[in-house]
Amino acid sequence: KQKLTVLYGSQTGQAEEIATQIHEDAVFNGYDVDLHCLKDAGKKFDISQITCAVFVCSTTGDGDPPENARKFLRTLSRKTLSKDHLSHLKYALLGLGDSNYSTFCGGPKKLERVLINLGAKQIHHSGFADDGTDMELVVEPWLEELWPALKKYFSNQDCEILNDKPEENSTKDENSDFAKLDKNVDCGQNKSVENLSKEIKNIEIMVTYKSKNDINTTTLQKSILLQESSLSLVELTLPPLFPLYLETFASNEVRPAIQHYQNDCPFPIASGSRTSGLIRKASVLTREDAVKRTIEICMEVENREQYMPGDAIAVCCKNPAQEVEWLINRLDLNEKADESLQLKVSVEAKKKSVPSFIPNIFTIREVFTSCLDIRAVVKKPLLRCLVEFTSDPGEKRQLEELCSRQGGDEYMKRIRENFISIIDIIAAFQSCKPTLEVLLQHLPRLQPRRYSVANYGSEFISFVFNVVHFPNEPSHLPDRKGICTGYLESLVEPMIKQKQVDPISISIFPTKSNDFALPGNLKTPIVMIGPGTGVSPFIGFLQQRREQIHSRTACNIGPAWLFFGCRHKERDFLFQSELESFIDGVLTKLCVAFSRDKVTENEPKYVQDSLTLHKNDIVKLLLEDKAVFFVCGDARNMAKDVRNCLINLIAIETNCDEDAAREKFSVVLAEKRYKEDIWT
Ligand code: FAD
């Protein structure tokens, strides 16, 4: 058997999930394969003994490697190591990143530099997948091409080595190189997918509902009908069908409460173990007629002092009860939905394990509610598996098309772009009836969602969120709320309406921010940019700053600016009175923009316009006064616009061209004075 090692560095679990999938595929493809986290270097594996490795590594913060990969990187970055330290190693590398951040795929790119500098040789081109566009555009073809590349390598070990030349950058200063703005962000568009899309035309998705008011048939039961398929006569190449290796059996053991038994399954980025938060108060911060509803939750937690402004709490959410119920009914699992079950790996399956996020003893209802992401977009391996559980030949063929190599574009258009989940699939394909084990094996973990801590010093911690709402237009999908914000909203609604005053318990993980914290020295100028709920950590910053100012008399205090933006002053100006109260010595300048209230030309519409209005001061703060800039909130548009705006302002104020302005901005990044806490 050919020996292969899969190594991962993962922050949120995504890289780990892909690495696990590669491991499974490798077993299926007959390799002798091991799977390890990079943090276990020297303990569970020895890199000097590995000859062929597949790395999957994600990115965190602004281009940093995940925490569990850092020690590995540090060890291999030692100057004392010889240039041929890893010359025995052949590797393939898949990086995960997000082009919304200024340094795209910084973690995996750093890992690759280290490997190359120590003489490791690449046997498959490196893939850099972009969460900002669509991970799968890169991940899927990269995985498909991995196996032929490995086969070629193992069948002729002297075959094509892709990077048989020393790395040009090897002597470059890591930090400055790392911090350079990645101008040519590799958005990971895959050419074969693009070409395919040109060949396939006129494929449309149509989702219909049976009746408007019946929840079981309205919101969930819809059919996806192919109007026309250009693939109907095409011979399809299907991905491999992986055997099912999980088996359930009835348990006689006493089942502990879910909060307790999930302690064993940590959230990879948590800074502590799972704990309970007791919601004491909830209030709506926006007016009834605001476009988005914003809710503030105040919660009692153990070890209050470990939640600092800039940190976040991760809320363990639950899938909507009606969707869980529908799923149970549709799969005919009602009778055993509340029975205690256990899971084991079938005897034939070697080196497989039970998913770590499924408790030892569970019920189907609990697992569908709290452990599995039943809204996750269905991936091709699951579609391939569903083919085997579909009896109608027409539906079978459609599922085959969707997971086939030829149907890449169709999959993108109909499944990914419409966020089609397992629920949508089995609602549309009436003869498709997978077993519980199929879902347990294929559905990903229901991830906790993070929320920035929005206060400092008071007894309870608070956090603020917009209730995410997906209206049914234009994607034809039914009205849905975001999983976590919908869950939290329904939990606290009685509290908001004063019908219930009893505290409500939720399950949370504390998570530490990498570097998003007030500078230690009060003299350091700060600029905070946080429209919408992006203002939350800054409320905490300002409360903390007020306390620092009060406790240190006659101290030199640097300026603090805050840029806030919302739609309407009267409807969604979050924390208005509190923000205005900081102007009394804590906040030097509060700049607010209302995008829908703008009446005159000179009034700012967005935070970028406010920055432009103060361009002279802002560029001085950025380049001369060495201020620390903090940006929080929307990653898709706002964070990019703010970055581009600042580069533009540098060009204007220092009279240089855009390239030179970018260069100046990358120095600010290298000095770690531009910090982002952004999300999509
Ligand atoms: P989800 O159910 O996860 O849905 C959101 C995503 O699902 C969308 O972005 C979209 O990609 C996809 N999606 C699914 N179905 C559809 C569809 N039909 N149409 C369109 N898109 C669809 N948020 C805050 O409000 N306040 C905060 O303070 C805050 N702090 C954060 C701090 C950090 C460090 C991070 C990483 C995130 C933070 N967030 C914050 C974001 C928050 O964690 C959640 O992502 C957000 O609340 C949405 O969660 P949800 O479960 O309600 O939505």
Side-chain angles (χ1 to χ4, degrees):
K1 274 197 170 180
Q2 284 139 346
K3 182 83 193 153
L4 184 66
T5 309
V6 183
L7 298 170
Y8 65 86
S10 187
Q11 192 72 23
T12 60
Q14 215 166 2
E16 181 179 356
E17 198 189 302
I18 296 173
T20 308
Q21 189 193 329
I22 296 174
H23 176 256
E24 285 179 8
D25 297 359
V27 174
F28 181 77
N29 285 323
Y31 288 94
D32 175 8
V33 57
D34 288 324
L35 172 70
H36 295 294
C37 176
L38 289 173
K39 76 171 174 11
D40 294 323
K43 290 180 234 152
K44 296 189 180 161
F45 73 94
D46 178 357
I47 193 71
S48 66
Q49 301 299 315
I50 293 176
T51 49
C52 187
V54 178
F55 290 89
V56 186
C57 181
S58 63
T59 309
T60 185
D62 189 15
D64 300 325
E67 264 150 47
N68 55 20
R70 286 185 197 163
K71 190 163 167 237
F72 180 79
L73 277 163
R74 265 201 312 277
T75 312
L76 291 184
S77 303
R78 284 201 308 252
K79 294 219 165 71
T80 48
L81 296 179
S82 68
K83 291 253 177 273
D84 61 354
H85 184 73
L86 294 181
S87 58
H88 60 281
L89 177 69
K90 307 290 178 292
Y91 76 92
L93 181 141
L94 175 65
L96 312 183
D98 187 333
S99 63
N100 287 308
Y101 291 79
S102 42
T103 312
F104 173 63
C105 264
K109 283 182 183 170
K110 182 172 188 182
L111 172 61
E112 171 142 66
R113 273 206 299 280
V114 166
L115 296 175
I116 294 174
N117 290 345
L118 296 175
K121 300 282 183 296
Q122 191 189 53
I123 50 166
H124 176 35
H125 71 87
S126 295
F128 294 104
D130 182 4
D131 210 12
T133 51
D134 191 337
M135 281 289 195
E136 292 302 317
L137 280 175
V138 167
V139 174
E140 213 170 273
W142 189 89
L143 288 177
E144 256 180 40
E145 290 158 17
L146 173 67
W147 303 109
L150 284 169
K151 202 170 161 195
K152 203 165 160 194
Y153 164 67
F154 279 113
S155 62
N156 170 15
Q157 301 229 348
D158 294 326
C159 81
E160 198 180 8
I161 299 295
L162 301 178
N163 63 331
D164 212 5
K165 291 192 193 104
E167 160 77 323
E168 279 171 22
N169 299 339
S170 55
T171 53
K172 253 187 183 175
D173 168 24
E174 293 250 304
N175 284 333
S176 62
D177 180 38
F178 216 11
K180 279 246 150 47
L181 262 185
D182 204 346
K183 274 204 278 174
N184 303 317
V185 168
D186 175 2
C187 286
Q189 291 297 334
N190 181 274
K191 296 227 166 42
S192 59
V193 174
E194 264 174 33
N195 288 341
L196 201 59
S197 74
K198 286 182 197 134
E199 290 160 24
I200 304 167
K201 296 177 203 116
N202 297 333
I203 300 162
E204 288 221 346
I205 173 174
M206 248 184 57
V207 182
T208 57
Y209 312 102
K210 286 203 168 162
S211 103
K212 265 245 166 270
N213 301 319
D214 176 0
I215 179 62
N216 286 343
T217 55
T218 311
T219 53
L220 305 168
Q221 194 166 8
K222 52 188 174 285
S223 45
I224 300 169
L225 305 169
L226 279 188
Q227 290 198 313
E228 184 188 340
S229 167
S230 61
L231 294 177
S232 53
L233 298 173
V234 173
E235 196 178 325
L236 302 172
T237 319
L238 299 188
L241 173 67
F242 298 117
L244 289 171
Y245 59 85
L246 292 177
E247 291 171 8
T248 51
F249 60 98
S251 171
N252 298 326
E253 291 181 41
V254 180
R255 187 169 45 83
I258 196 145
Q259 284 92 329
H260 300 295
Y261 62 52
Q262 284 206 345
N263 264 338
D264 324 337
C265 178
F267 182 42
I269 52 174
S271 54
S273 50
R274 188 181 175 111
T275 175
S276 295
L278 215 51
I279 300 176
R280 292 281 184 182
K281 195 174 153 238
S283 44
V284 179
L285 302 185
T286 41
R287 223 170 62 174
E288 199 102 303
D289 52 356
V291 175
K292 286 183 185 165
R293 189 177 197 219
T294 308
I295 295 178
E296 180 181 21
I297 283 183
C298 294
M299 194 166 64
E300 186 182 334
V301 287
E302 273 174 30
N303 305 320
R304 164 69 178 95
E305 64 290 346
Q306 67 175 307
Y307 301 85
M308 293 299 284
D311 294 343
I313 56 146
V315 173
C316 304
C317 47
K318 294 185 180 180
N319 289 307
Q322 63 210 40
E323 291 179 31
V324 170
E325 194 59 36
W326 185 89
L327 195 55
I328 289 172
N329 280 326
R330 173 68 178 77
L331 300 180
D332 280 341
L333 295 168
N334 320 47
E335 279 183 13
K336 51 178 190 169
D338 299 298
E339 277 174 19
S340 293
L341 296 178
Q342 274 182 281
L343 202 54
K344 67 173 183 188
V345 171
S346 60
V347 197
E348 312 88 65
K350 289 184 191 132
K351 295 198 175 184
K352 299 268 187 206
S353 50
V354 169
S356 57
F357 51 88
I358 310 258
N360 293 341
I361 308 164
F362 62 91
T363 70
I364 295 171
R365 192 182 308 281
E366 281 166 344
V367 159
F368 284 175
T369 303
S370 306
C371 305
L372 297 176
D373 188 351
I374 59 173
R375 286 238 195 121
V377 173
V378 280
K379 293 199 173 153
K380 284 190 179 178
L382 173 54
L383 285 172
R384 174 65 191 91
C385 182
L386 294 179
V387 169
E388 305 304 310
F389 292 87
T390 305
S391 53
D392 177 81
E395 292 185 352
K396 219 176 169 71
R397 170 72 193 186
Q398 287 175 16
L399 287 171
E400 283 173 349
E401 286 173 8
L402 287 168
C403 68
S404 69
R405 186 189 288 254
Q406 292 75 7
D409 186 61
E410 211 168 324
Y411 172 80
M412 279 311 200
K413 268 194 194 160
R414 283 197 266 148
I415 304 292
R416 292 202 67 79
E417 286 174 17
N418 287 292
F419 299 94
I420 296 294
S421 65
I422 183 69
I423 294 184
D424 303 318
I425 291 284
I426 58 175
F429 295 94
Q430 294 285 314
S431 77
C432 174
K433 197 167 171 194
T435 59
L436 169 65
E437 289 73 13
V438 170
L439 303 199
L440 292 172
Q441 189 168 316
H442 282 276
L443 290 184
R445 177 182 189 178
L446 177 60
Q447 293 283 350
R449 311 300 205 252
R450 281 174 284 166
Y451 296 93
S452 309
V453 172
N455 65 346
Y456 171 79
S458 38
E459 188 186 359
F460 302 142
I461 60 163
S462 78
F463 66 96
V464 173
F465 62 93
N466 284 331
V467 180
V468 174
H469 181 212
F470 309 117
N472 60 1
E473 296 295 334
S475 69
H476 310 286
L477 291 170
D479 246 50
R480 280 176 180 166
K481 296 261 170 92
I483 294 185
C484 190
T485 54
Y487 159 71
L488 288 172
E489 183 189 42
S490 61
L491 267 187
V492 301
E493 200 61 63
M495 209 173 236
I496 290 170
K497 292 185 177 145
Q498 306 271 306
K499 285 195 189 134
Q500 183 191 332
V501 281
D502 291 342
I504 303 164
S505 176
I506 59 170
S507 208
I508 57 167
F509 284 103
T511 70
K512 274 268 159 238
S513 92
N514 270 341
D515 201 16
F516 204 83
L518 273 183
N521 194 336
L522 260 176
K523 280 187 214 159
T524 310
I526 55 170
V527 176
M528 297 161 279
I529 303 161
T533 51
V535 75
S536 333
F538 303 138
I539 299 295
F541 277 14
L542 291 168
Q543 291 175 351
Q544 188 181 6
R545 194 173 144 90
R546 179 158 51 201
E547 194 200 86
Q548 287 173 348
I549 291 171
H550 287 165
S551 61
R552 285 181 226 179
T553 46
C555 170
N556 231 342
I557 299 161
W561 288 54
L562 188 130
F563 290 83
F564 175 77
C566 62
R567 285 185 174 79
H568 300 280
K569 183 176 181 184
E570 301 302 331
R571 299 187 205 173
D572 52 0
F573 188 169
L574 310 179
F575 300 106
Q576 177 178 2
S577 54
E578 182 151 17
L579 283 173
E580 286 167 355
S581 76
F582 290 124
I583 298 172
D584 183 21
V586 180
L587 196 53
T588 318
K589 189 106 181 149
L590 173 64
C591 306
V592 195
F594 305 107
S595 60
R596 308 291 154 87
D597 285 343
K598 183 175 176 327
V599 277
T600 68
E601 261 316 293
N602 294 336
E603 276 177 56
K605 198 169 175 189
Y606 301 110
V607 282
Q608 305 86 276
D609 303 325
S610 299
L611 288 165
T612 308
L613 269 184
H614 298 279
K615 57 179 183 292
N616 196 305
D617 290 315
I618 287 301
V619 174
K620 184 170 174 295
L621 281 161
L622 189 66
L623 300 184
E624 289 173 34
D625 302 345
K626 305 280 177 201
V628 181
F629 275 59
F630 296 92
V631 182
C632 183
D634 167 50
R636 276 205 185 107
N637 302 308
M638 185 277 295
K640 275 188 195 156
D641 292 345
V642 166
R643 239 178 280 142
N644 289 336
C645 168
L646 288 172
I647 290 167
N648 189 28
L649 297 185
I650 293 173
I652 297 171
E653 287 297 299
T654 64
N655 213 2
C656 67
D657 64 16
E658 196 195 311
D659 279 350
R662 275 183 191 280
E663 205 47 48
K664 289 177 188 173
F665 189 63
S666 55
V667 173
V668 177
L669 289 179
E671 291 173 354
K672 303 253 175 228
R673 291 193 292 107
Y674 193 79
K675 298 167 194 261
E676 291 178 321
D677 187 13
I678 54 180
W679 59 83
T680 47

